């Protein structure tokens, strides 16, 4: 088993972040936080059928980062536990707030 990375591998372009998430569907407790090989761990109650888990991942990340669901998209890995996600922020302040929350959660 590999050791978890110490930092989230993320790309920043303007007001957009792109990063990987490691999804655990059918989890007893829904949560966002922790790392697995440089990917943010996301646990959701939803089952991986008919896109239900993907919708739950988007909703969880949107709530966690404080953005609307339309600002979060899965860009790769729709049928995989390892997904690439894009988060679009509306301002640098919103992005800075999300960055501070992320650093606090992962430290």
């Amino acid at each position: 088993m590999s050791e978890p990375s110490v930092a989230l591998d993320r790309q920043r372009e303007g007001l957009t972040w792109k990063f990987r998430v490691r999804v655990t569907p059918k989890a007893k407790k829904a949560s966002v936080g922790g790392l697995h090989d440089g990917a943010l761990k996301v646990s959701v109650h939803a089952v991986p059928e008919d896109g239900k888990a993907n919708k739950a991942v988007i909703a969880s990340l949107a709530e966690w980062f404080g953005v609307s669901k339309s600002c979060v998209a899965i860009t790769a890995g729709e049928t995989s536990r390892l997904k690439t996600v894009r988060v679009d922020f509306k301002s640098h302040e919103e992005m800075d707030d999300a960055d501070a929350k992320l650093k606090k959660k992962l430290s």
Side-chain angles (χ1 to χ4, degrees):
M1 191 157 132
S2 62
E3 290 290 316
S5 296
V6 294
L8 177 65
D9 294 332
R10 98 189 119 147
Q11 299 172 349
R12 293 175 101 167
E13 293 178 15
L15 293 175
T16 300
W17 286 353
K18 290 182 184 175
F19 56 93
R20 295 179 310 143
V21 295
R22 169 81 174 170
V23 178
T24 303
K26 300 189 291 184
K28 289 182 181 180
K29 181 179 179 187
S31 65
V32 175
L35 292 173
H36 179 81
D37 290 334
L40 183 64
K41 290 182 188 177
V42 179
S43 298
V44 295
H45 294 298
V47 296
E49 296 172 354
D50 302 322
K52 291 176 186 174
N54 287 340
K55 288 177 186 175
V57 167
I58 289 170
S60 293
L61 289 173
E63 181 179 342
W64 202 76
F65 283 117
V67 298
S68 67
K69 287 188 271 189
S70 63
C71 293
V72 179
I74 296 172
T75 60
E78 292 215 359
T79 59
S80 171
R81 285 180 184 248
L82 190 60
K83 303 176 184 305
T84 302
V85 174
R86 185 187 77 237
V87 179
D88 298 317
F89 297 96
K90 301 214 183 299
S91 68
H92 286 287
E93 182 179 290
E94 190 176 66
M95 180 185 276
D96 291 343
D97 290 345
D99 192 44
K101 183 175 184 177
L102 185 62
K103 285 178 182 174
K104 182 178 179 182
K105 183 73 171 186
L106 299 179
S107 63

